[in-house]
Amino acid sequence: MSNHVDWWRGAIIYQIYPRSFYDSNNDGIGDLAGITQKLDYVADLGVDGIWISPFFKSPMKDFGYDISDYRDVDPIFGNNDDFDDLLEKAHSLNLKVIIDLAFSHTSEEHPWFLDETKKDWYVWADAKHDKDNNRVPPNNWVSVFGGSAWEWCEQREKYYFHNFLKEQPDLNFHNLDVQSEIIDICKYWLDRGIDGIRLDVVNFYFHDPLLRDNPPRQSGAKFATQFEKETPYSTQQHIYDKSRPENLDFIAKLRALTDQYSDRVLVGEIGDDHPYKLAQEYTNGKNHLHTCYNPHMMSGTQKTLTEDLVRVPIETFFAQHSEVNNLAESVKESSAWPSWAFSNHDVVRAQSRWYKPYSYNNAFSKMLIALLGCLPGTAFIFQGEELGLPEAKIAFKNIQDPWAKETYPQWQGRDGCRTPMIWDNSIYCGFSQTLPWLPIPKAHHILNIQTQNKEKTSVLNFTKEFIHWRKIKPEIINGNHEFIETSNSNIIDLRRYNSSNETHCIFNLSCVETQYKGQKYAPYAFHIDEFKEP
Ligand code: BGC
């Protein structure tokens, strides 16, 4: 066993949504050169690396998650040289770079989809007919974004399968040529020097070749969703359109490739009803993914943060692992490792989800950062979380997210967390000299980075202080953990320890003063041994 500890175990990774980070060429949309210019800011936070949402060629129907060329940067974001510059600068600042590759589907404009000879690279099926002889899709599969998962193609007189938008046809992973091509694309970027890949919806790669109907979901079964009510997608058990056993064999191939390079990480995104069981399968041992994260701490419609919302996913993750039941074991075995996040580009910002819609609360934001950073595993922070940004309210006329067009006003979609970063208090907050692609809400202006840098007690200064302090705490980075029974759903009492150190972390999750073990905790107050707030 080597003493080398993988950099990503217990790292803090900062997610950058490139359209909204910094616009270096004043077209209203952020770009790679813009990210490069702002990397000093990111490094100053003390984070270990960045994950950049897709910047590849794309018609942007799903803002980059519909890729039409996996090896080229989209001109909106710059070019491949800009990416190399970004990588070089990031590495000079000791920041690792994880890119985001969406392989479950391509864009409908990908040359593979348009190529008659590559029909078998996608999932095509004949129509069925109902009793009145009307054409109907081959089975009951539905799209995550709403409606049938099948789109009729007049020209080919067949349906094709899409788990997301109809502009995102699903690749047929049963085809070995598809698999080789995907491996080759990963090799291309690994050779370019990236430190890791985030694999978008990694459990969606394979489908049931018999195209069997999904059974209905058992009533009352829990489902991670943004919606208060059931949706067509949430009424099914997705056992045939995703999470198929063949995924594991393909993941093993990806891992074998990645193992040819040193210090690289494969991070899988899992969207499933049984995310921990899947995370266990997908990360166990040395021939699967290094780590996985799932939306269970991010989505949901619970209006307040309670202890079980955080503790249960963590305990369930470790309970699923037969060979590793704590982090120290995991490091020793080079095995399963969890990752956690409260916010990302797909969900309502935690600040608003668990506090008040569209409002800011300095104490709550700080507690969220500290809590995430004390959990056992790797932490993903989404741009703006370090500023305490609340969700932005978006008027229907400004909506960009295609999903929102299906769900507004029940849900305004994902634009509210994707608004531009606020660098200063100027008209477009220093993001751009021109009108940004999404409006920046008035409530965000006052939270700008320039101002927060000057305020000793700002969320930004707190975040920097906390992340830098955490760096010298091995028991928090990759030590073991124990949740202490509190009998109070507002209190998290967490012990992080290794053979020589221990740090005790207590959080009051509630908006009222709370008594715990003879101590009074102000609303959203916390105590972490030896950590002093600025
Ligand atoms: C990404 C989303 C995207 C979807 C389809 C995900 O889970 O995070 O932004 O819309 O995959 O690619």
Side-chain angles (χ1 to χ4, degrees):
M1 195 190 78
S2 87
N3 288 328
H4 173 76
V5 176
D6 304 304
W7 67 267
W8 46 269
R9 291 186 192 269
I12 296 197
I13 316 265
Y14 184 82
Q15 182 195 350
I16 294 182
Y17 194 68
R19 289 184 79 83
S20 297
F21 200 60
Y22 182 64
D23 175 15
S24 75
N25 62 350
N26 292 315
D27 60 359
I29 298 174
D31 42 58
L32 293 186
I35 297 177
T36 309
Q37 285 183 40
K38 295 294 185 185
L39 279 178
D40 291 298
Y41 165 80
V42 178
D44 199 36
L45 294 174
V47 299
D48 303 284
I50 55 174
W51 144 31
I52 316 173
S53 281
F55 47 77
F56 315 98
K57 262 203 183 124
S58 162
M60 303 289 163
K61 292 287 166 34
D62 190 20
F63 295 108
Y65 284 91
D66 49 322
I67 300 174
S68 56
D69 184 340
Y70 289 93
R71 291 182 176 82
D72 246 335
V73 170
D74 192 278
I76 285 186
F77 296 125
N79 55 39
N80 288 19
D81 291 341
D82 293 327
F83 180 74
D84 290 341
D85 293 346
L86 186 158
L87 200 58
E88 196 183 325
K89 172 91 188 269
H91 287 163
S92 75
L93 293 166
N94 270 331
L95 289 171
K96 305 283 188 184
V97 177
I98 297 176
I99 65 167
D100 191 343
L101 286 164
F103 289 136
S104 160
H105 43 264
T106 68
S107 155
E108 60 174 350
E109 291 183 23
H110 198 294
W112 304 335
F113 190 62
L114 304 172
D115 183 345
E116 282 293 321
T117 67
K118 288 199 166 67
K119 265 198 212 134
D120 192 46
W121 284 42
Y122 293 84
V123 187
W124 292 92
D126 290 328
K128 278 189 172 168
H129 289 90
D130 65 11
K131 58 180 176 13
D132 303 320
N133 209 27
N134 295 317
R135 187 183 67 221
V136 291
N139 65 19
N140 72 351
W141 297 353
V142 284
S143 144
V144 176
F145 289 159
S148 168
W150 295 96
E151 181 70 12
W152 178 250
C153 171
E154 214 45 79
Q155 206 187 342
R156 291 191 183 168
E157 294 199 320
K158 278 186 190 296
Y159 281 98
Y160 67 84
F161 173 50
H162 58 92
N163 263 305
F164 294 90
L165 295 175
K166 67 177 171 38
E167 293 85 357
Q168 293 169 298
D170 261 59
L171 279 169
N172 175 17
F173 272 76
H174 294 282
N175 182 325
L176 292 177
D177 292 339
V178 169
Q179 294 191 20
S180 320
E181 184 63 31
I182 300 303
I183 300 276
D184 225 56
I185 292 163
C186 293
K187 186 171 179 325
Y188 172 85
W189 287 103
L190 287 164
D191 286 341
R192 235 179 159 106
I194 57 158
D195 303 287
I197 304 174
R198 176 216 185 239
L199 297 160
D200 189 58
V201 288
V202 68
N203 60 313
F204 283 61
Y205 289 175
F206 285 81
H207 65 284
D208 173 36
L210 301 177
L211 305 184
R212 282 170 283 189
D213 276 348
N214 281 325
R217 160 185 304 280
Q218 290 145 342
S219 65
K222 264 200 160 172
F223 189 74
T225 175
Q226 315 281 358
F227 306 102
E228 306 275 351
K229 298 191 195 110
E230 280 192 331
T231 65
Y233 194 79
S234 68
T235 58
Q236 294 186 356
Q237 289 182 54
H238 294 275
I239 58 173
Y240 292 123
D241 52 356
K242 66 177 184 187
S243 306
R244 303 296 302 158
E246 297 92 337
N247 269 325
L248 280 176
D249 302 329
F250 181 68
I251 285 172
K253 292 185 188 174
L254 275 180
R255 177 62 184 262
L257 168 78
T258 315
D259 282 348
Q260 293 169 22
Y261 301 78
S262 67
D263 266 353
R264 314 296 164 104
V265 63
L266 291 174
V267 186
E269 180 204 27
I270 289 186
D272 191 83
D273 285 5
H274 307 286
Y276 311 110
K277 182 172 165 292
L278 232 55
Q280 191 271 333
E281 289 169 12
Y282 283 28
T283 59
N284 226 2
K286 297 187 178 79
N287 61 352
H288 292 131
L289 303 176
H290 299 92
T291 183
C292 269
Y293 79 96
N294 64 70
H296 278 232
M297 279 187 201
M298 287 190 276
S299 48
T301 49
Q302 190 170 317
K303 300 284 185 288
T304 51
L305 174 60
T306 50
E307 184 254 3
D308 57 333
L309 209 106
V310 172
R311 177 184 44 80
V312 172
I314 294 173
E315 287 188 338
T316 319
F317 176 89
F318 286 105
Q320 293 285 340
H321 285 265
S322 49
E323 58 173 84
V324 289
N325 53 20
N326 59 47
L327 290 183
E329 199 77 359
S330 181
V331 175
K332 204 169 101 214
E333 298 296 326
S334 306
S335 184
W337 188 269
S339 286
W340 310 109
F342 292 157
S343 291
N344 75 5
H345 65 291
D346 287 332
V347 298
V348 174
R349 285 184 180 273
Q351 174 70 33
S352 297
R353 204 173 344 117
W354 293 324
Y355 177 62
K356 282 185 201 141
Y358 318 117
S359 304
Y360 159 78
N361 180 306
N362 179 289
F364 186 60
S365 303
K366 290 177 180 172
M367 187 197 63
L368 288 183
I369 294 282
L371 175 60
L372 186 62
C374 286
L375 300 183
T378 295
F380 285 86
I381 295 184
F382 180 47
Q383 65 181 51
E385 239 176 320
E386 78 279 21
L387 306 173
L389 286 195
E391 182 81 352
K393 193 167 176 50
I394 309 287
F396 187 69
K397 67 175 181 0
N398 292 323
I399 285 290
Q400 303 281 343
D401 179 14
W403 197 359
K405 292 179 184 154
E406 303 285 329
T407 59
Y408 203 95
Q410 189 203 356
W411 183 48
Q412 66 163 13
R414 301 169 294 178
D415 293 331
C417 64
R418 296 176 175 182
T419 54
M421 279 292 273
I422 41 174
W423 298 98
D424 60 35
N425 205 11
S426 61
I427 170 164
Y428 302 126
C429 295
F431 164 72
S432 177
Q433 300 295 320
T434 190
L435 192 68
W437 73 287
L438 272 175
I440 304 176
K442 272 271 162 303
H444 282 195
H445 284 237
I446 192 178
L447 299 172
N448 73 79
I449 291 164
Q450 200 178 57
T451 305
Q452 289 212 28
N453 260 329
K454 288 187 211 139
E455 284 167 6
K456 196 164 170 267
T457 59
S458 68
V459 182
L460 177 58
N461 280 327
F462 171 86
T463 303
K464 290 190 217 174
E465 192 75 24
F466 174 73
I467 296 179
H468 281 97
W469 171 83
R470 182 184 178 277
K471 280 181 188 300
I472 49 156
K473 292 285 161 186
E475 69 274 26
I476 295 186
I477 295 171
N478 55 27
N480 285 329
H481 76 281
E482 179 192 9
F483 280 103
I484 291 158
E485 170 63 48
T486 65
S487 313
N488 182 340
S489 65
N490 289 329
I491 297 281
I492 287 184
D493 188 345
L494 176 63
R495 197 165 74 90
R496 300 300 313 275
Y497 63 98
N498 60 19
S499 50
S500 34
N501 301 304
E502 166 161 340
T503 294
H504 206 129
C505 322
I506 296 173
F507 300 88
N508 175 14
L509 309 179
S510 94
C511 60
V512 294
E513 187 180 89
T514 306
Q515 285 264 5
Y516 180 66
K517 290 187 175 164
Q519 292 284 324
K520 275 189 189 155
Y521 289 87
Y524 308 126
F526 55 86
H527 166 85
I528 302 173
D529 289 347
E530 290 176 27
F531 173 68
K532 302 254 173 310
E533 267 196 49

